[in-house]
Amino acid sequence: MRVRVGTVGGRVAVAAAVAMLLGGCAGAADDDGKTSASASAGASAGAKGAAAGDTGKKAAAAARGGTLGPAGSACELPVSFDVAKDWKPKSIDAEKELAQVSEGADGDLAGELAAAMLRQGPVTAACEIDAKPSGTIGFLRVWKGKPGDADAGGVLRAFVAAEKGAGKAEYHSFKTGGGVPAVEVEYLSTNKALDETKKESAFAVGTPDGPVVLHLGGMDTQEHDEMLPAFQLAKQTLKLS
């Protein structure tokens, strides 16, 4: 399932419209790099040097634009971290989005489409930080799991496994700047229908309130690489709330 770039709320609304207009046709397009929502627009850039693991670790951190996670911030989370300057955060109430879709016409199909955008493996969308105001196209998304879920590494592997077209994943452990043990993955996402492949990155941590996954997705590999400084900033500043 793939959806075009846009906010989660916007894509859920589109999902409902698609369900009503197309009935049984459930092949959506692409998000900036998410979930069963993960493709790309820009095959040539996505294919160039798309070898997972050759960027990210060396990228410099972006300039700070604010902090997410604490009470009163744009997204209240079990962790806090700094976001890049000019990136725009928005909280996601996944359960509310799903409930609104299910109340509409053709709720079963719309709900299926919306679920593909709001859930991935053991985690649910909680926040998205839009890079467009900074001049790149993509998102840093935060996903949350339930208390008692598996360790960070297990959750991250399940997250990647739930993404259609994901492969060549490379995992490593590290500690965030706030001292939180974490597991990071760099992998390739392939849209066979469009013959496009691009890089994606994510890392996961465990918290008393459940696991948290931060995922970086872009339109293509070039956009992904240009957004890595924001991903590095999150890694360097993340701590438990």
Side-chain angles (χ1 to χ4, degrees), residues 80-81 174-182 203 205 232-240:
S80 66
F81 59 91
F174 71 100
K175 279 192 176 182
T176 70
V180 182
F203 73 92
V205 298
Q232 288 296 104
L233 179 64
K235 288 169 58 179
Q236 293 177 10
T237 58
L238 185 139
K239 59 184 179 181
L240 299 182

Side-chain angles (χ1 to χ4, degrees), residues 12-109:
V12 171
V14 170
V18 168
M20 289 185 285
L21 292 173
L22 301 184
C25 293
D30 180 23
D31 166 309
D32 56 270
K34 191 62 271 91
T35 169
S36 304
S38 145
S40 46
S44 57
K48 270 195 228 173
D54 62 353
T55 63
K57 300 183 186 74
K58 298 180 181 178
R64 177 183 178 277
T67 300
L68 291 183
S73 64
C75 298
E76 297 184 6
L77 303 164
V79 297
S80 66
F81 59 91
D82 289 349
V83 295
K85 184 179 179 182
D86 296 327
W87 285 48
K88 185 177 180 181
K90 179 181 178 181
S91 180
I92 301 169
D93 187 337
E95 296 305 321
K96 181 179 178 181
E97 297 276 7
L98 289 167
Q100 289 176 342
V101 171
S102 66
E103 292 173 359
D106 201 2
D108 288 345
L109 178 56

Side-chain angles (χ1 to χ4, degrees), residues 137-223:
I137 300 176
F139 293 87
L140 178 62
R141 289 203 172 92
V142 185
W143 302 71
K144 295 193 306 182
K146 296 179 179 179
D149 276 349
D151 65 284
V155 167
L156 189 59
R157 283 174 171 78
F159 178 83
V160 174
E163 179 171 338
K164 185 177 180 181
K168 297 187 177 179
E170 296 183 1
Y171 296 87
H172 71 273
S173 300
F174 71 100
K175 279 192 176 182
T176 70
V180 182
V183 179
E184 182 176 5
V185 64
E186 294 170 339
Y187 63 99
L188 301 183
S189 175
T190 300
N191 182 337
K192 292 183 179 179
L194 299 178
D195 192 24
E196 296 176 357
T197 296
K198 65 188 181 72
K199 296 178 187 176
E200 300 199 11
S201 300
F203 73 92
V205 298
T207 83
D209 296 319
V212 174
V213 175
L214 274 72
H215 174 272
L216 180 69
M219 289 280 287
D220 51 41
T221 291
Q222 180 179 336
E223 294 281 359

